[in-house]
Amino acid sequence: MSNKTFSRRVLLAGCAAALLAPLAAHSQSFPTKPITLIVPWPAGGSTDRHMRTLAEIAGKHLGQNVIIENKPGAGGTLGPGQMGLTAKPDGYTITQFPMGMLRLPHMQKTQWNPLTDFTYIIGVSGYTFGFTVRADSPYKTFNDYIEAARKAPGKIDYGSTGNGTSPHLLMEELSDQAKVQLNHIPFKGNADLQQALLGGHVMAQSDATGWDKFVDGGQMRLLLTFGEQRTKRWPNVPTAKELGYGVVSQSPYGLVGPKGMDPAVVKTLHDAFKKAMEDPKHLEVLEQLNQASWYRTGDEYAKWAAAQFVKDKVMIEKLGLAGK
C-alpha cells in the first residue's frame, strides 16, 4: 500500500470517527436532565397510578427523574397527538400510548398518523375492563341492565373514558349483539368518570380497573368483566363471553416518543423501563389493578400496532362509527 493511499484511509477513518463521536457522546450521556412522561388521562385514575409507579422506578435506572404530566382529553389521544406533532425527538418527552390512538384516525381526521409519527419504545401492560354500577343501583346483574335498555331504548346510559376508547367500543359491540340502544356519555378519563358514577350522574360505567377500590369498598357493584376468563380478584363476576357476547379485550398499551429518535436513546429508555417492569413494586401495582405484563420490544410493539390498526378499521366500520 502506498503512503498516499494509507494517508487517505487514515483521513477517511478520522472523518468518520469525528462524525460518529457526537452521536455516541449524546447516547452515552443521555439523560442529562429529567424526562417528561405524558399520561393522557386525569390524575388519580388507574393508568395514572400505574405510570407514576413505573416512572419512579425507571427514573432510578436512568439516573434522572421521570416526571408525570397529565394531559387528558379526546379519549386519551390529545396528549400523545400533541407530543407527536410538537416534541423534539431527543428522548426527553415520551407518552403512554393508548389504543384509542389506533382508532381515532378511522373515526375522524387527525393531524398525526399513529404508525409514522411516533417512535415505539416498549410494550408495557393491558387493562382489565369491567362494567360497574353504584351499590344501590336497581341493576343487580348485567342482564338486568340490558333488560332495562330493551324496555327504554336510548334512555339507559353509561359512561366511558371517551369516544373511540376500548371501554366505549366494547359496549358498542356488546349493545350491537344484544340489539339494544344505550346512551353513551364520554368523560375525560377514569378519575372523573368514577366521581360521576358515585355522584349519581350516570347509571353505569365501562372502564378499566380504576373502580377496584370502590368495588372492594362496597360503593360499587361489578356486573361484568371483559377478559377471556374470570378475574382472580373477583371470581364470582361473569365475563361478557360467558354471558354469550363475543366481546373480549385486554387493550394493550406502552410507551412511545416522537418520530426520528436516536436508536441508542430508545434503547436506553427501553432498558430502564424493562427493568422497572420487572421490579417487585411494579408487579405489585399490576396485581392491584388486576393487569398483566405485556412486554414487547419497540420493534415488536410497532409491528403489533400496524396489524391492530388494520383490525380496528374493520371493527369501527362494522359498528358504523367510521368518519365520513
Side-chain angles (χ1 to χ4, degrees), residues 40-58:
W41 311 101
S46 58
T47 311
D48 183 68
R49 284 164 62 188
H50 179 207
M51 288 291 106
R52 283 182 187 276
T53 300
L54 191 65
E56 181 186 347
I57 302 166

Side-chain angles (χ1 to χ4, degrees), residues 1-258:
M1 184 187 299
S2 69
N3 288 338
K4 195 172 182 182
T5 303
F6 178 76
S7 298
R8 187 183 296 121
R9 289 189 179 180
V10 169
L11 180 62
L12 289 172
C15 288
L19 288 170
L20 292 171
L23 292 174
H26 174 69
S27 60
Q28 286 169 8
S29 61
F30 176 85
T32 58
K33 61 182 181 179
I35 293 163
T36 297
L37 170 54
I38 294 169
V39 173
W41 311 101
S46 58
T47 311
D48 183 68
R49 284 164 62 188
H50 179 207
M51 288 291 106
R52 283 182 187 276
T53 300
L54 191 65
E56 181 186 347
I57 302 166
K60 293 174 183 175
H61 295 294
L62 289 164
Q64 292 286 345
N65 289 334
V66 180
I67 300 166
I68 297 296
E69 182 178 347
N70 296 94
K71 276 194 177 181
T77 65
L78 181 65
Q82 286 181 347
M83 184 214 69
L85 293 171
T86 63
K88 292 179 181 177
D90 55 12
Y92 288 103
T93 307
I94 60 177
T95 184
Q96 188 250 0
F97 194 81
M99 277 189 70
M101 292 294 292
L102 300 173
R103 292 167 173 167
L104 193 67
H106 298 311
M107 300 170 71
Q108 64 185 58
K109 285 186 177 179
T110 58
Q111 291 181 283
W112 42 265
N113 182 305
L115 305 183
T116 59
D117 288 333
F118 300 90
T119 299
Y120 287 76
I121 298 169
I122 189 170
V124 177
S125 182
Y127 297 107
T128 289
F129 293 111
F131 191 83
T132 70
V133 294
R134 268 190 7 172
D136 59 359
S137 168
Y139 312 125
K140 306 294 184 189
T141 67
F142 188 73
N143 284 336
D144 290 344
Y145 177 83
I146 292 297
E147 284 307 313
R150 282 208 172 90
K151 292 173 184 173
K155 300 288 179 65
I156 304 301
D157 66 42
Y158 75 95
S160 85
T161 45
N163 289 317
T165 60
S166 291
H168 170 219
L169 294 184
L170 284 170
M171 288 304 296
E172 288 289 333
E173 228 180 322
L174 194 149
S175 61
D176 183 59
Q177 290 185 27
K179 303 292 188 287
V180 296
Q181 183 186 347
L182 301 172
N183 179 24
H184 172 234
I185 302 173
F187 288 81
K188 283 186 177 179
N190 175 280
D192 54 339
L193 175 54
Q194 307 304 312
Q195 294 308 312
L197 180 59
L198 290 170
H201 305 298
V202 288
M203 298 176 181
Q205 70 166 339
S206 174
D207 196 14
T209 45
W211 36 255
D212 60 341
K213 54 192 174 185
F214 300 114
V215 170
D216 290 346
Q219 296 106 312
M220 293 183 190
R221 186 183 302 124
L222 179 61
L223 302 185
L224 186 76
T225 56
F226 288 98
E228 278 284 353
Q229 300 172 333
R230 293 191 181 197
T231 63
K232 292 179 184 177
R233 189 164 170 185
W234 303 283
N236 297 326
V237 178
T239 65
K241 190 177 177 181
E242 275 182 77
L243 296 183
Y245 304 105
V247 184
V248 178
S249 178
Q250 182 195 18
S251 193
Y253 60 85
L255 302 178
V256 304

